[in-house]
Amino acid sequence: MTQDELKQAVAKAAIEYVVDGEIIGVGTGSTANFFIDELGKIKDRIKGAVASSEATAERLRSHGIKVFDLNDVDTMPVYIDGADEINAAGAMIKGGGAALTREKIVASVAQKFVCIADGSKLVDVLGKFPLPVEVIPMSQAVVARKLGALGGEPRLRIKDGKPVVTDNGCYIIDVLGLSITEPADIEDKINNIVGVVTNGLFARQGANVCLLGTSEGVKKLE
Ligand code: 5RP
C-alpha cells in the first residue's frame, strides 16, 4: 500500500470516533484532509466542526460542514488529527504543516485526542523529525539562540525565499538534531522561552488513541 492509501485507511477508521449530534475538532495536514473527505460523507450526523487552520476550515466548508468559532464552543468529545511522529505513550511531534498552535488550542478543548497516522510515524524516541516552534517574528533570533543552547540546531522555516508565516502571523523555527527522551520536560522548557508562541511537542496532552495505518491493517494504540 502507498503512504496515501495508509492515511486513507486510518481516516476511514477514525469515523468510528465521531459522536453523533456533536461538534468535532479537526486537525490539519494530508491525513486530516482524508479524514475531512470521509467526514463529508456523514456530515448530517454532526452539528459541525472546529478547524485547526484556515486550510482545514476551507476544506470543511467545501464539504458543506458548518465551521464553528472555538470561542462559541465550551467542549467537544473528540479531536482528530495527524502527527509527524508519535511514541507508544501517545506523545507527538506536530507542526509539519505549521498549524501547531491552533491544533494545540483546539485539542485542549476536546475530551479525547485521536491521532491518525501512517505506521512510519511511530518512533521509539521523538526528535528525528525537526521540532517546529512557532515564534513572534521579532523574537526569532533570540529564540533561535536559546533553542541552540538546548542542544538542537534551529532553522527558520523558509518557503519561496521568505519565512513561512502561520495563520497567526508568526514564524516557525524547526529544531533539528534533538533526541527527546523526556518530551513533557522539553515541551515546558521551550514554552518558557520568551517569544515562543507554542512548540510542536504534544506530550503534556498527547493522543488518547492512535490509529496507525500498516500493510497488515489499521492498528490501534491506546
Ligand atoms: C500540521 C500537523 C500535521 O498533523 C502533521 O504535519 C502530519 O501531517 P500529514 O498528515 O500531512 O503527514 O501537525 O501542522
Side-chain angles (χ1 to χ4, degrees), residues 7 28-32 81-84 94-100 103 118 121:
K7 289 178 179 186
T28 297
S30 57
T31 320
D81 197 358
D84 298 302
K94 292 185 45 54
L100 60 159
E103 291 172 339
D118 68 85
K121 307 287 181 71

Side-chain angles (χ1 to χ4, degrees), residues 34-218:
F34 284 125
F35 173 70
I36 295 167
D37 297 344
E38 293 301 320
L39 195 61
K41 298 177 191 166
I42 59 145
K43 65 177 179 212
D44 296 333
R45 280 172 41 192
I46 57 168
K47 205 164 152 190
V50 175
S52 60
S53 63
E54 299 298 338
T56 287
E58 200 176 301
R59 197 174 186 102
L60 287 162
R61 286 193 193 102
S62 77
H63 282 286
I65 297 168
K66 181 169 178 182
V67 177
F68 284 82
D69 185 320
L70 184 64
N71 291 305
D72 298 325
V73 177
D74 294 334
T75 183
M76 60 189 104
V78 66
Y79 174 76
I80 299 188
D81 197 358
D84 298 302
E85 283 185 349
I86 182 163
N87 69 15
M92 295 167 281
I93 287 184
K94 292 185 45 54
L100 60 159
T101 299
R102 293 192 186 194
E103 291 172 339
K104 211 178 257 196
I105 294 169
V106 181
S108 76
V109 176
Q111 286 147 34
K112 184 184 275 186
F113 189 132
V114 177
C115 174
I116 48 176
D118 68 85
S120 70
K121 307 287 181 71
L122 182 65
V123 297
D124 288 330
V125 178
L126 300 169
K128 208 166 180 185
F129 189 93
L131 176 66
V133 180
E134 184 163 357
V135 300
I136 301 291
M138 73 169 285
S139 73
Q140 56 111 347
V142 60
V143 171
R145 286 195 294 275
K146 290 186 177 170
L147 291 170
L150 287 179
E153 188 193 320
R155 286 205 195 143
L156 185 65
R157 195 180 294 181
I158 303 283
K159 198 177 169 198
D160 302 327
K162 291 190 205 127
V164 168
V165 178
T166 68
D167 285 350
N168 312 309
C170 296
Y171 291 172
I172 299 284
I173 295 175
D174 292 304
V175 190
L176 288 74
L178 293 174
S179 174
I180 305 171
T181 49
E182 303 291 341
D185 287 353
I186 299 290
E187 182 176 1
D188 292 348
K189 259 191 196 138
I190 296 178
N191 280 343
N192 276 333
I193 299 173
V194 175
V196 167
V197 177
T198 195
N199 73 81
L201 275 168
F202 285 56
R204 287 277 168 220
Q205 194 183 351
N208 304 98
V209 178
C210 181
L211 301 177
L212 279 179
T214 75
S215 47
E216 291 93 51
V218 174

